[in-house]
Amino acid sequence: MKFAVSYSTPYHGIDPDKIVAYAQHAEDCGFETLYVPEHIALYPGAMVGRFELPPSLPYFDPLDCLSFVAAATRRILLGTGVLLLPYHHPVVLAKRLATIDVLSKGRMRLLTAGLGALPGEAQAVGVDFSTRGRRADEAIDVMRLLWAGGEDGVSFAGEFFTFDDLCQFPKPYGVTHLPIHIGGSSRAAARRAGRRGDGYFPGGALDSNERALQMDLARSTAVEAGRNPETLEYTRSGPIDMTIDQVEEFAAQGVTRIVVSATATESDQQREEMSAFAQRFALLEHLPHPPLGR
């Protein structure tokens, strides 16, 4: 089991020193990854399921935030939970992701991509909300093509993106392409994970039967696509006070990564929560190379 931690600027705040301290302590505790969420723009009445999002919630750009964190850390991997893929141009996004990966020496490895649930957000960036699934699929193909392409260039002709003999350097750090995990709470997201994803990170508002069905669907779709379902990672959110028994239950369901978040808003209490979790699960003992002292 891998353990990650998230930092949500709407909840935890936008103080840069606080973000750095949170990330550094997570690294020192032995957490694998730091995740940050995304919303590009909100508006009055924006609803996600039954919940209205206050329009003043301060969401940082996740990639700028992760680049900032990377400069202040040494080991912790960088993740998004989730990046709203259809609202980014994949040619620009591929460059940004490769840049962060190179600058962080190979740590931009937990990109989780979702579709977004706010029609007004899609409209604001010029995206037809009804096409965002197809747009996301195409964007994944474009980015992988660019990362793998050489000096002769690569070409693409799709519904949304078209280019000829395009070259993009530098490449990601030591790999052909960066992992792309799929986030969402729908069966369509599970199928997308099976067809194109390196992992699946389902949302929290699902019962146990639907979770099991979706993960089975992701794996069966991978088989249909000629991919190995055993390589598909399964990430879930969990409470930071979860017990060993709860983690073992997740593991029995095939979960390979658990993402927790500090519930406190004050830095000292956040550190206490992360330290207690790390001690409970002996995170540092399972690191191949424990982080160096600061």
Side-chain angles (χ1 to χ4, degrees):
M1 184 70 71
K2 301 169 186 176
F3 295 99
V5 67
S6 66
Y7 186 100
S8 175
T9 54
Y11 182 80
H12 294 111
I14 60 172
D15 184 328
D17 294 333
K18 191 173 180 180
I19 295 171
V20 165
Y22 189 101
Q24 289 178 338
H25 190 69
E27 180 173 76
D28 291 342
C29 283
F31 285 97
E32 175 215 29
T33 308
L34 179 78
Y35 282 83
V36 294
E38 175 175 51
H39 272 295
I40 296 170
L42 299 176
Y43 48 90
M47 300 289 295
V48 175
R50 297 180 291 108
F51 301 99
E52 183 173 350
L53 297 180
S56 60
L57 289 179
Y59 282 92
F60 272 162
D61 178 280
L63 300 188
D64 289 340
C65 185
L66 290 173
S67 184
F68 178 76
V69 165
T73 53
R74 300 183 180 94
R75 176 200 57 81
I76 198 163
L77 300 182
L78 311 170
T80 59
V82 297
L83 180 126
L84 305 179
L85 182 56
Y87 307 157
H88 294 264
H89 196 293
V91 176
V92 178
L93 183 58
K95 168 68 79 171
R96 294 183 70 195
L97 291 167
T99 297
I100 296 172
D101 196 58
V102 170
L103 291 176
S104 66
K105 298 183 180 179
R107 291 191 281 143
M108 186 66 248
R109 298 301 166 90
L110 268 299
L111 172 74
T112 305
L115 298 190
L118 301 179
E121 193 171 22
Q123 182 182 21
V125 295
V127 170
D128 180 347
F129 190 72
S130 67
T131 67
R132 69 198 195 286
R134 301 198 307 275
R135 185 181 289 266
D137 290 344
E138 206 166 284
I140 292 171
D141 295 343
V142 165
M143 290 193 294
R144 286 178 171 156
L145 182 67
L146 288 170
W147 289 329
E151 295 181 20
D152 294 335
V154 292
S155 301
F156 188 89
E159 180 181 0
F160 305 101
F161 309 106
T162 301
F163 50 82
D164 294 309
D165 303 328
L166 203 61
C167 301
Q168 194 175 83
F169 289 86
K171 301 301 181 185
Y173 189 82
V175 294
T176 303
H177 71 264
L178 297 176
I180 300 175
H181 293 229
I182 304 300
S185 299
S186 67
R187 297 180 187 184
R191 287 191 290 268
R192 180 170 294 107
R195 286 194 306 268
R196 286 179 167 83
D198 294 288
Y200 186 37
F201 190 169
L206 298 172
D207 62 35
S208 58
N209 290 334
E210 182 64 18
R211 287 191 186 282
L213 186 152
Q214 288 192 15
M215 201 58 211
D216 287 345
L217 183 58
R219 294 189 178 108
S220 64
T221 305
V223 172
E224 292 169 5
R227 308 177 71 214
N228 181 1
E230 299 302 318
T231 64
L232 197 65
E233 294 194 70
Y234 183 17
T235 301
R236 287 269 300 276
S237 294
I240 200 164
D241 61 351
M242 67 191 310
T243 65
I244 292 174
D245 287 344
Q246 287 174 309
V247 169
E248 289 177 348
E249 183 179 345
F250 273 36
Q253 297 168 19
V255 175
T256 56
R257 178 180 294 101
I258 296 173
V259 183
V260 300
S261 179
T263 60
T265 55
E266 296 302 318
S267 294
D268 288 346
Q269 294 170 328
Q270 290 172 351
R271 286 193 289 271
E272 289 176 5
E273 286 184 304
M274 286 190 280
S275 294
F277 186 95
Q279 291 168 6
R280 188 156 63 250
F281 294 101
L283 300 193
L284 285 174
E285 294 179 15
H286 297 94
L287 284 181
H289 303 291
L292 301 172
R294 299 188 187 283

